[in-house]
Amino acid sequence: MSGALDEEDARALAGREVALIDLLDRLLQGGVVLAGDLVLSIADVDLVRIDLRAVIAPVDAEHPAPLLL
Amino acid sequence: MTESARRQHKVYAYAVLRPTPEAARAVAVLRGVADEQVGLVETGDLAAAVGPVPAEEFEEGALKAGLEELPRLEALARGHHGVVAGLAPLGAVLPLRLATVYRDEDRVRQILQERRDQFLPLLERLAGHVEWGVKVYTDPTDSLASDAAVAAGATGGEEALSPGRAYLAARRRRRRGAEEAWQTAARTAVRIAEEAGGLAVGRVAHRPQRGELAQMAGGETARGGKSGGETAGGGKPGGENIANDAYLVPADRAEEFRARVLAAAEGQPGVRVEVTGPWAPYSFALPPEPTARPEPV
């Protein structure tokens, strides 16, 4: 299969300590949603987003989500 | 797997990929979210990277409770990412969402077969691509500096004002400064989107980052203003995140992409731009939909 990354990319992907919030952006909003079996409602991690909203993304009157351009 | 082992373990799934010898070699050295040995479940031309995890920790109740604690969530997220990042250099991988857990490996096989027509084209599309994160912030350091400069220049005139008027004038100036910073950042975001769009084959807008965790983030940074330039690592916290986008970029143009995005932010006072990555294509592992933008919370 074509498209293997070069060594530098490979190291960058594997060895980097990433910011948790950037990771959660991807893990909670991105990724293929596959319904799990017994933990069906967990696979839909909206649960987590709501409970952790205070830490991850507090929404208040002072910081309404701005329109993205 | 024996009947008793099945009861004690569940199968945590990390990613969908092609069952190649390289993939088999790559998973052999990976440990997963429960420090378990990761392996491949194969079915024809598709495979899933999975690992057996203790049932008592990964059943619904336990997982739900665990994910509500930040340290546990972080451990799980990093464990999940560790496996995905270990497989991503192979060239094509579909990262699964956090906490995708199955009863047993047969169920994983069944899902792979059922969704084959969806997974194969996606793998094809993502092959040889990486994801970059691009975040645009207003930079309070810069706007404070310009505020101070304006204030210093205006002092002469203001001496004549009453304290109340001077206060109001200063407040107007500050508000104008903040608005200008926001406008500049918004313009820069548009410019970056145009610049990035020339190289990227996909774009997903994530929710702008807020809150405690956002203060701890810091990728590679380009700051506007006189100093300009590029500062590697640990961008200063602060400022409002006004754009948080993910771009899908051909791997062989990844460096060019990063350089062009950082360059587009040069010389813009009051704007800070952070580039993170390269990432496995997390934000693009979903089939394209008419509204690729996630709903705001």
Side-chain angles (χ1 to χ4, degrees):
Chain A
M1 175 148 236
S2 69
L5 311 184
D6 64 25
E7 258 180 60
E8 196 179 315
D9 282 337
R11 267 202 311 279
L13 277 164
R16 198 166 26 95
E17 175 81 345
V18 299
L20 181 59
I21 192 164
D22 293 329
L23 190 52
L24 290 179
D25 267 350
R26 287 164 174 81
L27 286 174
L28 300 185
Q29 294 185 52
V32 173
V33 183
L34 285 187
D37 287 332
L38 305 170
V39 285
L40 193 66
S41 58
I42 294 297
D44 182 4
V45 266
D46 285 348
L47 278 175
V48 179
R49 270 168 61 192
I50 292 163
D51 291 328
L52 276 177
R53 193 187 293 171
V55 181
I56 298 173
V59 176
D60 58 48
E62 281 211 271
H63 299 98
L67 285 174
L68 284 184
L69 299 159
Chain B
M1 212 183 260
T2 66
E3 196 50 47
S4 70
R6 188 168 295 163
R7 270 201 298 277
Q8 288 159 12
H9 285 91
K10 294 196 187 304
V11 175
Y12 189 107
Y14 298 90
V16 172
L17 68 168
R18 299 279 200 167
T20 59
E22 295 80 45
R25 272 199 299 278
V27 290
V29 298
L30 294 175
R31 313 290 292 188
V33 292
D35 198 34
E36 86 284 8
Q37 172 66 58
V38 179
L40 290 184
V41 169
E42 299 182 22
T43 160
D45 45 10
L46 280 177
V50 302
V53 291
E56 69 272 19
E57 284 176 49
F58 285 84
E59 64 182 11
E60 182 160 347
L63 204 47
K64 196 163 151 185
L67 291 185
E68 285 166 15
E69 294 162 23
L70 193 59
R72 176 84 203 280
L73 177 65
E74 173 162 17
L76 191 71
R78 294 207 183 278
H80 185 104
H81 178 64
V83 173
V84 171
L87 296 172
L90 297 173
V93 51
L94 292 181
L96 301 183
R97 272 237 226 163
L98 191 67
T100 304
V101 183
Y102 292 93
R103 193 170 57 223
D104 56 32
E105 294 191 352
D106 286 343
R107 275 291 291 155
V108 178
R109 246 174 239 116
Q110 190 188 335
I111 297 283
L112 286 178
Q113 276 157 4
E114 280 171 10
R115 312 255 316 248
R116 183 176 175 276
D117 292 346
Q118 203 184 342
F119 292 155
L120 283 178
L122 263 176
L123 275 173
E124 201 63 40
R125 173 169 186 256
L126 297 178
H129 289 76
V130 294
E131 172 176 333
W132 285 104
V134 178
K135 296 186 282 181
V136 181
Y137 296 85
T138 60
D139 190 336
T141 332
D142 270 5
S143 51
L144 281 181
S146 60
D147 193 39
V150 173
T155 323
E158 255 167 42
E159 272 165 8
L161 294 177
S162 69
R165 282 173 176 233
Y167 168 77
L168 287 175
R171 233 181 84 156
R172 263 199 306 278
R173 232 180 10 250
R174 263 201 302 280
R175 190 183 305 156
R176 224 174 16 244
E179 264 166 33
E180 273 163 21
W182 203 90
Q183 297 286 352
T184 316
R187 274 197 305 274
T188 307
V190 170
R191 227 165 55 143
I192 286 173
E194 284 167 0
E195 193 69 29
L199 282 175
V201 298
R203 171 182 180 228
V204 168
H206 288 293
R207 198 165 31 117
Q209 296 178 346
R210 302 277 184 273
E212 275 176 52
L213 273 184
Q215 304 302 316
M216 288 150 38
E220 192 164 22
T221 300
R223 291 167 48 118
K226 283 175 227 89
S227 58
E230 178 178 317
T231 330
K236 276 200 191 123
E240 188 184 354
N241 180 212
I242 69 155
N244 179 19
D245 294 341
Y247 290 93
L248 186 65
V249 184
D252 55 4
R253 307 195 73 179
E255 268 316 302
E256 190 186 346
F257 178 90
R258 194 185 57 85
R260 268 166 72 166
V261 166
L262 289 172
E266 295 279 320
Q268 300 293 314
V271 185
R272 187 163 60 88
V273 173
E274 265 181 37
V275 176
T276 65
W279 297 90
Y282 285 107
S283 307
F284 301 92
L286 289 162
E289 287 171 52
T291 49
R293 184 167 299 174
E295 293 294 314
V297 252

